[in-house]
Amino acid sequence: MGVIEEDLRRHPYPLPSREGSFHNMILGIGTDIIEIDRIQKAIERWGRSFLKHVFHDEEIRYAQKFKFPAQHFAARFAAKEAVYKAIGNNKHLGWKDIKILNDANGKPYCVLSDRKFKHKILISISHTRNYAVASAVIAA
């Protein structure tokens, strides 16, 4: 069992299935909100080096497709923070260990670089002109 899984097993909460049984477990939840202007200022100050430090190439390409990419960078930043909070205090987890992508239907999903991590990570992302928010749930 990896370090992340050991952290998550400390406080499991049952998650009811469709059948009403409690075979799934919520192992962690996390939420984050960020001002989009904060990410915009970081991009203006540090440019590509900031983006490369925090985001994967796929995340950068995705956000830069839009007229206002800072909203999309902020949403992914918030999602990474939410995942980090849901997993718990793990000093071995960095920005680029968490990748936020979208499926063919536009639904966001998370890819964690730790191959030993076998739990499901559910995420939800939203943003307005000024704020981006994300929630993450780790389920067994």
mmCIF file of all heavy atoms in Angstrom, residues 9-34:
data_model
loop_
_atom_site.group_PDB
_atom_site.id
_atom_site.type_symbol
_atom_site.label_atom_id
_atom_site.label_comp_id
_atom_site.label_asym_id
_atom_site.label_seq_id
_atom_site.Cartn_x
_atom_site.Cartn_y
_atom_site.Cartn_z
ATOM 1 N N ARG A 9 -6.802 5.831 4.378
ATOM 2 C CA ARG A 9 -7.462 4.792 5.152
ATOM 3 C C ARG A 9 -7.727 5.204 6.604
ATOM 4 O O ARG A 9 -8.461 4.543 7.307
ATOM 5 C CB ARG A 9 -6.633 3.513 5.130
ATOM 6 C CG ARG A 9 -6.575 2.911 3.753
ATOM 7 C CD ARG A 9 -7.225 1.560 3.752
ATOM 8 N NE ARG A 9 -7.220 1.016 2.428
ATOM 9 C CZ ARG A 9 -8.319 0.866 1.706
ATOM 10 N NH1 ARG A 9 -9.473 1.193 2.180
ATOM 11 N NH2 ARG A 9 -8.251 0.361 0.502
ATOM 12 N N ARG A 10 -7.171 6.308 7.045
ATOM 13 C CA ARG A 10 -7.340 6.723 8.438
ATOM 14 C C ARG A 10 -8.772 7.095 8.788
ATOM 15 O O ARG A 10 -9.228 6.830 9.879
ATOM 16 C CB ARG A 10 -6.426 7.909 8.744
ATOM 17 C CG ARG A 10 -4.992 7.512 8.824
ATOM 18 C CD ARG A 10 -4.166 8.681 9.295
ATOM 19 N NE ARG A 10 -2.789 8.396 8.952
ATOM 20 C CZ ARG A 10 -1.902 9.297 8.649
ATOM 21 N NH1 ARG A 10 -2.225 10.561 8.659
ATOM 22 N NH2 ARG A 10 -0.672 8.957 8.343
ATOM 23 N N HIS A 11 -9.505 7.756 7.877
ATOM 24 C CA HIS A 11 -10.843 8.241 8.184
ATOM 25 C C HIS A 11 -11.830 7.893 7.074
ATOM 26 O O HIS A 11 -12.352 8.780 6.411
ATOM 27 C CB HIS A 11 -10.826 9.756 8.375
ATOM 28 C CG HIS A 11 -9.889 10.201 9.436
ATOM 29 N ND1 HIS A 11 -10.124 9.978 10.762
ATOM 30 C CD2 HIS A 11 -8.708 10.830 9.364
ATOM 31 C CE1 HIS A 11 -9.127 10.465 11.473
ATOM 32 N NE2 HIS A 11 -8.255 10.989 10.644
ATOM 33 N N PRO A 12 -12.119 6.609 6.853
ATOM 34 C CA PRO A 12 -13.073 6.264 5.787
ATOM 35 C C PRO A 12 -14.524 6.519 6.219
ATOM 36 O O PRO A 12 -14.882 6.321 7.368
ATOM 37 C CB PRO A 12 -12.822 4.779 5.558
ATOM 38 C CG PRO A 12 -12.303 4.285 6.861
ATOM 39 C CD PRO A 12 -11.544 5.433 7.485
ATOM 40 N N TYR A 13 -15.330 7.008 5.281
ATOM 41 C CA TYR A 13 -16.749 7.231 5.512
ATOM 42 C C TYR A 13 -17.518 6.441 4.461
ATOM 43 O O TYR A 13 -17.167 6.482 3.284
ATOM 44 C CB TYR A 13 -17.089 8.715 5.399
ATOM 45 C CG TYR A 13 -16.316 9.545 6.384
ATOM 46 C CD1 TYR A 13 -15.158 10.208 6.015
ATOM 47 C CD2 TYR A 13 -16.730 9.622 7.716
ATOM 48 C CE1 TYR A 13 -14.441 10.956 6.933
ATOM 49 C CE2 TYR A 13 -16.019 10.359 8.631
ATOM 50 C CZ TYR A 13 -14.875 11.029 8.240
ATOM 51 O OH TYR A 13 -14.162 11.757 9.148
ATOM 52 N N PRO A 14 -18.573 5.739 4.848
ATOM 53 C CA PRO A 14 -19.310 4.935 3.867
ATOM 54 C C PRO A 14 -20.023 5.794 2.832
ATOM 55 O O PRO A 14 -20.537 6.856 3.153
ATOM 56 C CB PRO A 14 -20.318 4.151 4.707
ATOM 57 C CG PRO A 14 -20.269 4.712 6.066
ATOM 58 C CD PRO A 14 -19.090 5.619 6.185
ATOM 59 N N LEU A 15 -20.030 5.320 1.619
ATOM 60 C CA LEU A 15 -20.728 5.958 0.514
ATOM 61 C C LEU A 15 -21.770 4.974 0.007
ATOM 62 O O LEU A 15 -21.415 3.895 -0.468
ATOM 63 C CB LEU A 15 -19.731 6.300 -0.607
ATOM 64 C CG LEU A 15 -20.281 6.850 -1.904
ATOM 65 C CD1 LEU A 15 -20.847 8.250 -1.677
ATOM 66 C CD2 LEU A 15 -19.200 6.896 -2.957
ATOM 67 N N PRO A 16 -23.073 5.277 0.111
ATOM 68 C CA PRO A 16 -24.070 4.296 -0.319
ATOM 69 C C PRO A 16 -24.024 4.080 -1.834
ATOM 70 O O PRO A 16 -23.825 5.007 -2.592
ATOM 71 C CB PRO A 16 -25.401 4.921 0.111
ATOM 72 C CG PRO A 16 -25.124 6.364 0.287
ATOM 73 C CD PRO A 16 -23.659 6.505 0.604
ATOM 74 N N SER A 17 -24.195 2.845 -2.222
ATOM 75 C CA SER A 17 -24.265 2.528 -3.644
ATOM 76 C C SER A 17 -25.700 2.700 -4.117
ATOM 77 O O SER A 17 -26.600 2.990 -3.335
ATOM 78 C CB SER A 17 -23.807 1.085 -3.877
ATOM 79 O OG SER A 17 -24.756 0.202 -3.327
ATOM 80 N N ARG A 18 -25.940 2.483 -5.391
ATOM 81 C CA ARG A 18 -27.299 2.596 -5.930
ATOM 82 C C ARG A 18 -28.238 1.588 -5.289
ATOM 83 O O ARG A 18 -29.414 1.829 -5.155
ATOM 84 C CB ARG A 18 -27.267 2.394 -7.436
ATOM 85 C CG ARG A 18 -26.632 3.536 -8.146
ATOM 86 C CD ARG A 18 -26.672 3.336 -9.617
ATOM 87 N NE ARG A 18 -25.617 4.165 -10.186
ATOM 88 C CZ ARG A 18 -25.191 4.093 -11.394
ATOM 89 N NH1 ARG A 18 -25.710 3.224 -12.215
ATOM 90 N NH2 ARG A 18 -24.234 4.868 -11.821
ATOM 91 N N GLU A 19 -27.689 0.449 -4.900
ATOM 92 C CA GLU A 19 -28.506 -0.589 -4.283
ATOM 93 C C GLU A 19 -28.755 -0.310 -2.804
ATOM 94 O O GLU A 19 -29.482 -1.030 -2.150
ATOM 95 C CB GLU A 19 -27.825 -1.962 -4.421
ATOM 96 C CG GLU A 19 -27.670 -2.429 -5.849
ATOM 97 C CD GLU A 19 -26.455 -1.807 -6.531
ATOM 98 O OE1 GLU A 19 -25.446 -1.534 -5.851
ATOM 99 O OE2 GLU A 19 -26.532 -1.559 -7.741
ATOM 100 N N GLY A 20 -28.139 0.722 -2.251
ATOM 101 C CA GLY A 20 -28.344 1.069 -0.856
ATOM 102 C C GLY A 20 -27.336 0.451 0.095
ATOM 103 O O GLY A 20 -27.334 0.753 1.269
ATOM 104 N N SER A 21 -26.451 -0.406 -0.399
ATOM 105 C CA SER A 21 -25.431 -0.985 0.474
ATOM 106 C C SER A 21 -24.274 0.000 0.610
ATOM 107 O O SER A 21 -24.176 0.959 -0.140
ATOM 108 C CB SER A 21 -24.927 -2.315 -0.085
ATOM 109 O OG SER A 21 -24.242 -2.099 -1.295
ATOM 110 N N PHE A 22 -23.412 -0.256 1.561
ATOM 111 C CA PHE A 22 -22.310 0.658 1.828
ATOM 112 C C PHE A 22 -20.976 -0.009 1.517
ATOM 113 O O PHE A 22 -20.080 -0.029 2.322
ATOM 114 C CB PHE A 22 -22.351 1.128 3.293
ATOM 115 C CG PHE A 22 -23.442 2.105 3.558
ATOM 116 C CD1 PHE A 22 -24.720 1.683 3.831
ATOM 117 C CD2 PHE A 22 -23.191 3.458 3.497
ATOM 118 C CE1 PHE A 22 -25.731 2.597 4.063
ATOM 119 C CE2 PHE A 22 -24.194 4.387 3.727
ATOM 120 C CZ PHE A 22 -25.474 3.947 4.009
ATOM 121 N N HIS A 23 -20.837 -0.539 0.314
ATOM 122 C CA HIS A 23 -19.582 -1.208 -0.025
ATOM 123 C C HIS A 23 -18.521 -0.212 -0.508
ATOM 124 O O HIS A 23 -17.348 -0.496 -0.451
ATOM 125 C CB HIS A 23 -19.803 -2.319 -1.051
ATOM 126 C CG HIS A 23 -20.145 -1.821 -2.419
ATOM 127 N ND1 HIS A 23 -21.434 -1.496 -2.791
ATOM 128 C CD2 HIS A 23 -19.360 -1.567 -3.492
ATOM 129 C CE1 HIS A 23 -21.434 -1.086 -4.045
ATOM 130 N NE2 HIS A 23 -20.198 -1.118 -4.494
ATOM 131 N N ASN A 24 -18.933 0.938 -0.993
ATOM 132 C CA ASN A 24 -17.977 1.978 -1.376
ATOM 133 C C ASN A 24 -17.707 2.868 -0.168
ATOM 134 O O ASN A 24 -18.542 2.992 0.710
ATOM 135 C CB ASN A 24 -18.523 2.843 -2.515
ATOM 136 C CG ASN A 24 -18.604 2.091 -3.820
ATOM 137 O OD1 ASN A 24 -17.817 1.198 -4.066
ATOM 138 N ND2 ASN A 24 -19.561 2.440 -4.634
ATOM 139 N N MET A 25 -16.566 3.498 -0.177
ATOM 140 C CA MET A 25 -16.226 4.370 0.934
ATOM 141 C C MET A 25 -15.704 5.698 0.399
ATOM 142 O O MET A 25 -14.939 5.732 -0.551
ATOM 143 C CB MET A 25 -15.128 3.743 1.790
ATOM 144 C CG MET A 25 -15.449 2.389 2.339
ATOM 145 S SD MET A 25 -16.664 2.479 3.616
ATOM 146 C CE MET A 25 -15.627 2.446 5.029
ATOM 147 N N ILE A 26 -16.128 6.790 1.040
ATOM 148 C CA ILE A 26 -15.520 8.086 0.787
ATOM 149 C C ILE A 26 -14.291 8.140 1.680
ATOM 150 O O ILE A 26 -14.390 8.030 2.892
ATOM 151 C CB ILE A 26 -16.462 9.253 1.108
ATOM 152 C CG1 ILE A 26 -17.628 9.267 0.137
ATOM 153 C CG2 ILE A 26 -15.707 10.581 1.047
ATOM 154 C CD1 ILE A 26 -18.657 10.350 0.419
ATOM 155 N N LEU A 27 -13.150 8.279 1.060
ATOM 156 C CA LEU A 27 -11.895 8.290 1.807
ATOM 157 C C LEU A 27 -11.372 9.696 2.044
ATOM 158 O O LEU A 27 -10.519 9.909 2.895
ATOM 159 C CB LEU A 27 -10.849 7.453 1.066
ATOM 160 C CG LEU A 27 -11.256 5.996 0.823
ATOM 161 C CD1 LEU A 27 -10.225 5.308 -0.046
ATOM 162 C CD2 LEU A 27 -11.455 5.270 2.127
ATOM 163 N N GLY A 28 -11.865 10.644 1.265
ATOM 164 C CA GLY A 28 -11.435 12.027 1.442
ATOM 165 C C GLY A 28 -12.227 12.965 0.559
ATOM 166 O O GLY A 28 -12.724 12.564 -0.493
ATOM 167 N N ILE A 29 -12.391 14.201 1.020
ATOM 168 C CA ILE A 29 -13.037 15.243 0.220
ATOM 169 C C ILE A 29 -12.191 16.508 0.294
ATOM 170 O O ILE A 29 -11.485 16.730 1.275
ATOM 171 C CB ILE A 29 -14.480 15.542 0.683
ATOM 172 C CG1 ILE A 29 -14.509 15.988 2.145
ATOM 173 C CG2 ILE A 29 -15.386 14.352 0.451
ATOM 174 C CD1 ILE A 29 -15.853 16.477 2.612
ATOM 175 N N GLY A 30 -12.242 17.300 -0.745
ATOM 176 C CA GLY A 30 -11.501 18.554 -0.758
ATOM 177 C C GLY A 30 -12.201 19.570 -1.641
ATOM 178 O O GLY A 30 -12.833 19.208 -2.622
ATOM 179 N N THR A 31 -12.092 20.832 -1.273
ATOM 180 C CA THR A 31 -12.671 21.935 -2.037
ATOM 181 C C THR A 31 -11.673 23.075 -2.073
ATOM 182 O O THR A 31 -10.948 23.286 -1.105
ATOM 183 C CB THR A 31 -13.979 22.427 -1.375
ATOM 184 O OG1 THR A 31 -14.891 21.341 -1.308
ATOM 185 C CG2 THR A 31 -14.608 23.557 -2.158
ATOM 186 N N ASP A 32 -11.643 23.791 -3.175
ATOM 187 C CA ASP A 32 -10.784 24.967 -3.267
ATOM 188 C C ASP A 32 -11.463 26.013 -4.134
ATOM 189 O O ASP A 32 -12.163 25.682 -5.089
ATOM 190 C CB ASP A 32 -9.416 24.611 -3.858
ATOM 191 C CG ASP A 32 -8.412 25.728 -3.660
ATOM 192 O OD1 ASP A 32 -8.059 26.002 -2.496
ATOM 193 O OD2 ASP A 32 -7.995 26.342 -4.659
ATOM 194 N N ILE A 33 -11.240 27.261 -3.776
ATOM 195 C CA ILE A 33 -11.711 28.398 -4.566
ATOM 196 C C ILE A 33 -10.531 29.354 -4.723
ATOM 197 O O ILE A 33 -9.727 29.509 -3.802
ATOM 198 C CB ILE A 33 -12.923 29.089 -3.905
ATOM 199 C CG1 ILE A 33 -13.479 30.191 -4.809
ATOM 200 C CG2 ILE A 33 -12.580 29.608 -2.524
ATOM 201 C CD1 ILE A 33 -14.832 30.735 -4.358
ATOM 202 N N ILE A 34 -10.420 29.953 -5.885
ATOM 203 C CA ILE A 34 -9.314 30.878 -6.143
ATOM 204 C C ILE A 34 -9.806 32.042 -6.990
ATOM 205 O O ILE A 34 -10.688 31.868 -7.843
ATOM 206 C CB ILE A 34 -8.134 30.153 -6.839
ATOM 207 C CG1 ILE A 34 -6.929 31.077 -6.949
ATOM 208 C CG2 ILE A 34 -8.538 29.600 -8.191
ATOM 209 C CD1 ILE A 34 -5.653 30.376 -7.341
#
